[in-house]
């Protein structure tokens, strides 16, 4: 139910009553409400749940997590 | 950024090796998220763990815990002539209390002529209401659009925004049947039971993305419970499990709240979303299917938004709510047993003929076990947990398609 999918912000439209954006989900492009992520910018990855971006995905931090795991010695 | 990196089998193998090296004693860990339940079963993560590490599943599916009486009410409202009833697809087949002689789920109501529409966002319901309002001929009745608003903290901000917009646009043809539920009060109810038997908690990343981690600090302190906030992919889940093992194997044991979803969820959560939810909703007591009434665990509309409450807008008939009784759903939802330990599992109770809440929804724990036990056969002897002799898989046995499916990566 709380399914949320990462997508990349292609464009932002702040002219309407709600701040909306076009978001690319691996080739599928959908309109998403960006009211809850005022900090998000074109090119960022958003975590999107039921048509709303609920967070910005920190790509650098995510890479650091994976690099830390990769550095664990394999016995 | 490939989110699928969090399914990388090399990373999975490394984390599993660490868990095996650090885990010395029997532990029971609970998760409370339908998406995590499915990820654990789908990727066979429980089968990669040491046999003495037991994963149980709490009330992590808002579809499952929606009371039968609320489903009855949804069917009743959807069946009112002229109503357009908008719902997430998950709710279509969830049975009510069988008090309706004609239809016992929304799908059946639709087959009998109700205008039930599946939406992916509450804003779609708002869009339908605006279109209906603009297209209605002067003097004619506008069709009423009703949003079935269910979900945890993650989904409530979307409902709140739709209702706030409806008020700003003065859309009197829009209303919502609200049944939002909150996770921490349900955890309070579980851990207040002295026999809960749970050593550590995996907290759901998307609930925390909205609500922040502060409710969990109190839980950790009050119940001496280590808590790891995690995501939904194999690497996320295994990092969470490793963290809990490390906390519980430390001497003395610790009970911190550690955020392992830090690339997405911040400590304070999403403040804009929290503010909108507080503007539109007030906290109230709420009935949970399979668990009963839990204090302060639901959301109701604030007085200034009360005119958007579908339950008061549409007349209510007599709805004698009934709960299925001959299954152990309540024990599954409290993490007392796993679905396969229920005597009705897979025989009397299955997705086509569900007896209890966790089997009715595709996201329920019982439905997940029913679906994935075919992929990773579980021994019948698992019905008695002490005799568990699981068929363990090594991480390298995770196939490419299991590890690298981008569409199923980030669920709760």
């Amino acid at each position: 139910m709380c399914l949320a999918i990462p997508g990349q912000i292609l464009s932002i439209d702040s002219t309407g009553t709600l701040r909306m954006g076009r978001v690319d989900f691996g080739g599928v492009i959908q309109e998403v409400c960006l009211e809850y992520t005022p900090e998000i910018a074109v090119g960022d990855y958003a975590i999107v749940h039921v048509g709303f971006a609920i967070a910005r995905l920190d790509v650098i931090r995510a890479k650091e997590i994976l690099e830390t795991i990769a550095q664990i010695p394999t016995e | 950024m490939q989110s699928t990196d969090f399914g990388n089998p090399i990373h999975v193998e490394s984390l599993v090796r660490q868990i095996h090296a650090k885990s010395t004693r029997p532990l029971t860990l609970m998760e409370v998220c339908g998406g995590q339940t499915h990820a654990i079963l789908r990727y066979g993560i429980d089968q990669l763990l040491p046999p003495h590490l037991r994963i149980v599943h709490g009330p992590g599916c808002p579809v499952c815990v929606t009371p039968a009486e609320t489903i009855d009410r949804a069917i009743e409202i959807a069946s009112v002539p002229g109503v357009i009833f908008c719902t997430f697809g998950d709710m279509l087949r969830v049975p009510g209390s069988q008090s309706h002689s004609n239809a016992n789920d929304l799908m059946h109501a639709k087959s009998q002529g109700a205008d039930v529409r599946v939406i992916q966002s509450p804003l779609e319901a708002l869009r339908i209401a605006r279109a209906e309002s603009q297209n209605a001929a002067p003097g004619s009745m506008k069709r009423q659009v009703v949003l079935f608003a269910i979900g945890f903290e993650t989904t409530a901000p979307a409902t709140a925004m739709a209702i706030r917009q409806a008020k700003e646009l003065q859309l009197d043809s829009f209303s919502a049947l609200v049944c939002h539920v909150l996770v921490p009060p349900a955890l309070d109810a579980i851990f207040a039971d002295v026999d809960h038997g749970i050593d550590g908690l995996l907290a759901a990343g998307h609930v925390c993305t909205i609500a922040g981690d502060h409710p969990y600090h109190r839980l950790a302190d009050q119940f001496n419970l280590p808590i790891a906030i995690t995501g939904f992919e194999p690497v996320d889940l295994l990092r969470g499990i490793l963290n809990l093992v490390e906390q519980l194997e430390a001497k003395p044991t610790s009970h911190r709240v550690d955020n392992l979803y830090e690339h997405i969820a911040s400590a304070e959560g999403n403040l804009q979303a929290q503010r909108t939810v507080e503007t539109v909703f007030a906290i109230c007591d709420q009935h949970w299917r399979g668990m009963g009434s839990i204090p302060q665990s639901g959301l109701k509309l604030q007085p200034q938004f009360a005119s958007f409450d579908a339950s008061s807008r549409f007349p209510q008939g007599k709805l004698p709510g009934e709960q299925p009784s001959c299954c152990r759903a309540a024990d599954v939802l409290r993490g007392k047993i796993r679905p396969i330990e229920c005597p009705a599992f897979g025989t009397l109770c299955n997705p086509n003929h569900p007896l209890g809440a966790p089997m009715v929804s595709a996201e329920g724990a019982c439905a997940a076990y029913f679906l994935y036990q075919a992929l990773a056969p579980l021994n019948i002897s698992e019905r008695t947990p002490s005799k568990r002799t699981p068929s363990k898989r090594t991480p390298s046995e995770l196939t490419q398609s299991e590890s690298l499916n981008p569409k199923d990566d980030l669920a709760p």
Side-chain angles (χ1 to χ4, degrees), chain B residues 30 32 59 182-192 201 216 219 223 291:
Chain B
M30 174 185 264
V32 275
L182 305 172
V183 173
L187 295 174
D188 269 309
I190 289 169
F191 294 118
L201 178 74
Y216 295 91
L219 280 167
F223 299 108
M291 292 188 72

Side-chain angles (χ1 to χ4, degrees), chain A residues 1-4 36 61 72 75, chain B residues 17-18 157 262 363 410 412:
Chain A
M1 176 68 212
C2 302
L3 179 79
Y36 293 137
R61 185 73 198 101
I72 297 164
E75 293 165 273
Chain B
R17 198 178 301 115
Q18 287 185 78
E262 70 270 42
E363 281 206 357
L410 289 166

Side-chain angles (χ1 to χ4, degrees), chain B residues 19 23 41 45 51 63 68 72 127 133 139 159 192 222 224 241 280 294 310 312 324 389 398-400 408:
Chain B
I19 291 168
S23 175
L41 272 290
I45 285 170
V63 175
D72 291 345
R127 211 171 293 133
S133 197
T159 302
Q222 188 172 339
N224 287 331
I241 293 164
V280 174
I294 300 177
S312 55
T389 50
L398 283 172
T399 65
Q400 284 293 82
D408 295 313

Side-chain angles (χ1 to χ4, degrees), chain B residues 213 227-230 239 257-267:
Chain B
D213 64 12
I227 299 177
I229 298 168
T230 61
R239 285 181 77 220
V257 177
D258 284 343
N259 180 6
L260 303 170
Y261 206 45
E262 70 270 42
H263 49 302
I264 291 171
S266 64

